[in-house]
Amino acid sequence: MLAAVERMFPCGDFALFDHTHEGLAEGSWSIAYEGDYDWPMDVSERQFLHPEEFPREVFLEPIAGWCLGVYAAS
């Protein structure tokens, strides 16, 4: 998932964190980048417009303007 985000936004140094970074449910992850504050919404929207670009095993949710939650899809 991190690679897909980096392809969409090649400008930044994204970091992948486990669930403890943002107090998420165990098994979740977060991707953070404090550069462009619109990117989490852009990625989240794109998963619905172009679902073929994303793994079906995950659901993405903007947590903040700089952080994207990555959850196992149910």
Side-chain angles (χ1 to χ4, degrees):
M1 188 68 253
L2 182 60
V5 170
E6 288 174 331
R7 281 192 300 277
M8 282 190 267
F9 300 94
C11 59
D13 292 322
F14 292 90
L16 181 66
F17 296 95
D18 68 10
H19 68 283
T20 60
H21 184 253
E22 290 299 314
L24 303 175
E26 191 170 335
S28 301
W29 298 85
S30 64
I31 299 173
Y33 169 61
E34 295 189 28
D36 176 2
Y37 286 95
D38 291 330
W39 75 268
M41 289 298 293
D42 293 344
V43 173
S44 180
E45 182 177 300
R46 191 167 181 93
Q47 84 176 323
F48 295 106
L49 297 175
H50 301 282
E52 69 280 358
E53 295 180 11
F54 297 90
R56 285 185 257 170
E57 302 84 33
V58 298
F59 173 75
L60 307 172
E61 176 184 44
I63 296 174
W66 52 270
C67 191
L68 183 70
V70 181
Y71 308 94
S74 51

